[in-house]
Amino acid sequence: MILLDGSSLTLEQLLAIADDGEPVGVADAARARVRAARDVVVRRARGPEPAYGINTGFGSFADVKIAPDALETLQLNLIRSHAAGVGDPLPVRTVRAAMALRANVLAKGFSGIGLETLDALIALLNRRVHPCVPSRGSVGASGDLAPLAHLALVLIGEGHALGDGGIAGPGLDALRRAGLRPMTLGAKEGLALINGTQPSTAVLALALAAAEQLARAADIAAALSIDALRGSIHPFEARIHDARPFDGQRTSAANIERLLRGSGINQSHEFCGRVQDAYSMRCAAQVHGAVREALAFVRRTVEIEANSATDNPMVFADRGDIVSGGNFHGAPIAIAADLLAAAVVPLATISERRTDRLVDPALSQLPAFLTREGGVNSGFMMAQVTAAAVASELKTLAHPAGVDTIPTSANKEDHVSMSMTAALKAETAVRRAREVVAIELLCACQAIDLLAPLETSPALARAHAVVRSRVPMLDRDRPPAPDIDAITNLIASNELQKACDGLVK
């Protein structure tokens, strides 16, 4: 069980919750903090002094005082009115990540939520009751209000829940099947459930994990291509990269050098007289490494945000204070998501350039389009075209969403982050980039086959073997689309990296 304390949730733990169903609880110290903050809210709700969202309206209605007998209705109406999302629902794994992130933020003890309500949210997660959360409707201003409101609807017995094939049915039915009951929300609890960036953070976190995985697969693809193109191992010597000591560059260089070590193909052209390789080969570590540097920044942002209080107002139990602020603003997530979307583009564009070299006999010394019977067969001609098309689309996806802002809520929210838009775009960019690298892997493995009886390195032979376990060698034309899908899924499954026996970091 992963115990949430509001301070130590890692990306790896979040993945275990999202994908593996790891159960979740709340640490004892966090439970004490939640109780203390709740006491402050209850006292303020009973008093005459106005406190935003506790005994006042929301947004432009912040100056409207709410009578004590209407406080529960205020919170119920907040959830209902803010559930205005549209578009396809977020996948179950993303909803699970968002639920875990919100529970972790509530466990920090700055939200003023009741412990019973926090436990109810965690019970939804542990019993696999997954609210249907539309993917569009957040501008990342007061957090992701609409997505979190849809999530909270199921907690109060409304809305809809997801099943394996889409929407399963009413939220109340899902609660009953799980042996749970709807919650009645007290003062500030509705606001505590929806004020924060957790849906956009969840989307970004999962996209980041996929991008880190893709960066490792790209090193493997590059090594296979460099070997098949009879490239040199020397540009990946550590002494070159120690002289420009970016951690990401050194890691990628070390990966490629280890993967190429012991290649019979490489040894066969050791004294060929060629002085330098093309940039897409020789500069692979520099480009891949720059991507890794960007991903490191995104990871830092995600892990800070995952353990940050993003509420408004914030409850400081040690002083008995309730203070309005702006931690809900999604700017950190928007900027990190835009960086992620931009960072995977060079990973894909340099991959596409290596693919192009593999299919061009003037550049590769390999059969045209990697087929022995060119003319009657077109080989990988269109696979490279697809890689080029997707690489071009990625350049469009790299346009940042976070540079936009549009006033909302009668100009009360006069600057917004577009963090959800940025995160969803980053997720799409990672998926598209994975397809480009998958095409390179297909072409590089075909080239390795065509170079027989020369053999690649033991490590790359294992990578080649796992590709061949999904897709046979292309001896005559067949539709490439299923093969591309198969290798795209292979990258996502992490089997490619595992096949290299820990040589790829």
Side-chain angles (χ1 to χ4, degrees):
M1 176 177 283
I2 295 172
L3 290 179
L4 303 178
D5 60 10
S7 301
S8 59
L9 184 64
T10 66
L11 179 58
E12 287 69 28
Q13 288 176 323
L14 189 64
L15 291 171
I17 295 167
D19 293 328
D20 303 330
E22 186 74 21
V24 170
V26 180
D28 290 341
R31 299 179 79 84
R33 291 194 300 271
V34 171
R35 289 192 192 97
R38 185 63 189 162
D39 289 343
V40 173
V41 169
V42 171
R43 288 196 301 271
R44 182 64 66 88
R46 293 170 179 162
E49 184 181 352
Y52 175 75
I54 297 174
N55 53 19
T56 75
F58 307 102
S60 292
F61 294 127
D63 296 329
V64 178
K65 187 75 163 59
I66 307 299
D69 61 357
L71 295 184
E72 287 186 3
T73 302
L74 174 71
Q75 300 301 315
L76 176 62
N77 285 343
L78 174 69
I79 299 301
R80 286 173 172 168
S81 67
H82 282 57
V86 297
D88 294 335
L90 295 174
V92 165
R93 66 191 298 258
T94 308
V95 173
R96 289 186 60 80
M99 294 167 75
L101 287 168
R102 191 63 206 156
N104 190 53
V105 168
L106 295 172
K108 287 189 77 69
F110 293 106
S111 302
I113 199 165
L115 193 55
E116 184 181 14
T117 305
L118 173 56
D119 286 339
L121 176 60
I122 288 175
L124 287 189
L125 186 60
N126 287 341
R127 300 194 191 184
R128 302 191 68 80
V129 178
H130 304 130
C132 179
V133 179
S135 56
R136 268 70 181 177
S138 173
V139 294
S142 292
D144 299 315
L145 293 171
L148 283 170
H150 281 277
L151 193 155
L153 275 177
V154 174
L155 197 64
I156 62 175
E158 300 184 13
H160 291 85
L162 289 172
D164 292 336
I167 298 176
L172 182 59
D173 292 347
L175 285 180
R176 288 171 174 166
R177 284 194 299 271
L180 302 173
R181 60 181 180 82
M183 294 299 299
T184 299
L185 302 178
K188 198 185 181 293
E189 289 196 296
L191 188 58
L193 287 169
I194 71 170
N195 224 195
T197 62
Q198 287 66 53
S200 53
T201 303
V203 174
L204 177 59
L206 298 180
L208 168 64
E212 291 178 339
Q213 182 185 65
L214 180 61
R216 295 187 288 270
D219 285 349
I220 298 169
L224 280 163
S225 292
I226 291 164
D227 209 22
L229 290 165
R230 298 175 174 89
S232 174
I233 193 173
H234 297 299
F236 307 101
E237 292 180 9
R239 57 184 174 173
I240 292 175
H241 305 279
D242 289 343
R244 193 194 198 191
F246 287 108
D247 289 340
Q249 179 176 324
R250 294 161 92 176
T251 298
S252 283
N255 285 341
I256 295 171
E257 194 275 337
R258 281 192 298 266
L259 290 168
L260 287 170
R261 198 180 300 161
S263 166
I265 298 171
N266 190 269
Q267 292 170 5
S268 72
H269 60 80
E270 187 173 1
F271 303 106
C272 66
R274 190 165 61 190
V275 177
Q276 291 188 139
D277 294 326
Y279 284 7
S280 60
M281 301 157 68
R282 180 165 33 117
C283 300
Q286 285 80 1
V287 175
H288 292 197
V291 174
R292 287 173 176 266
E293 294 290 332
L295 299 187
F297 171 83
V298 177
R299 175 180 271 265
R300 177 177 175 273
T301 300
V302 165
E303 293 195 331
I304 290 174
E305 188 73 355
N307 295 287
S308 295
T310 55
D311 298 88
N312 180 55
M314 292 180 65
V315 181
F316 294 92
D318 57 341
R319 301 282 298 273
D321 287 348
I322 298 176
V323 184
S324 288
N327 276 1
F328 50 65
H329 199 287
I333 295 302
I335 291 170
D338 283 334
L339 175 61
L340 178 59
V344 297
V345 177
L347 202 66
T349 53
I350 197 169
S351 172
E352 185 276 329
R353 287 293 81 199
R354 289 190 295 263
T355 296
D356 182 68
R357 299 190 78 82
L358 287 164
V359 300
D360 186 346
L363 302 174
S364 68
Q365 304 173 54
L366 290 161
F369 301 108
L370 300 172
T371 179
R372 290 195 178 100
E373 297 181 26
V376 66
N377 288 304
S378 294
F380 285 88
M381 181 187 295
M382 287 307 300
Q384 185 272 325
V385 172
T386 298
V390 176
S392 183
E393 180 185 350
L394 278 162
K395 298 166 192 174
T396 301
L397 289 170
H399 181 80
V403 299
D404 186 28
T405 182
I406 184 168
T408 60
S409 193
N411 226 40
K412 191 80 168 183
E413 299 164 358
D414 61 347
H415 186 278
V416 302
S417 72
M418 297 298 176
S419 59
M420 192 63 164
T421 304
L424 290 167
K425 184 167 61 64
E427 179 187 50
T428 301
V430 174
R431 286 203 314 270
R432 296 282 84 84
R434 187 190 292 140
E435 293 161 351
V436 177
V437 174
I439 291 169
E440 182 186 1
L441 281 165
L442 281 170
C443 291
C445 287
Q446 179 80 2
I448 295 294
D449 289 330
L450 292 172
L451 288 172
L454 293 174
E455 294 183 350
T456 190
S457 70
L460 290 177
R462 291 190 293 272
H464 176 275
V466 76
V467 170
R468 285 286 167 259
S469 73
R470 299 289 186 95
V471 174
M473 180 182 176
L474 187 70
D475 54 0
R476 61 180 61 88
D477 280 351
R478 60 175 181 262
D483 294 351
I484 296 169
D485 285 344
I487 304 309
T488 300
N489 293 333
L490 176 67
I491 295 171
S493 73
N494 214 34
E495 288 181 50
L496 183 68
Q497 182 186 350
K498 291 176 182 176
C500 295
D501 292 340
L503 292 179
V504 180
K505 308 300 183 186

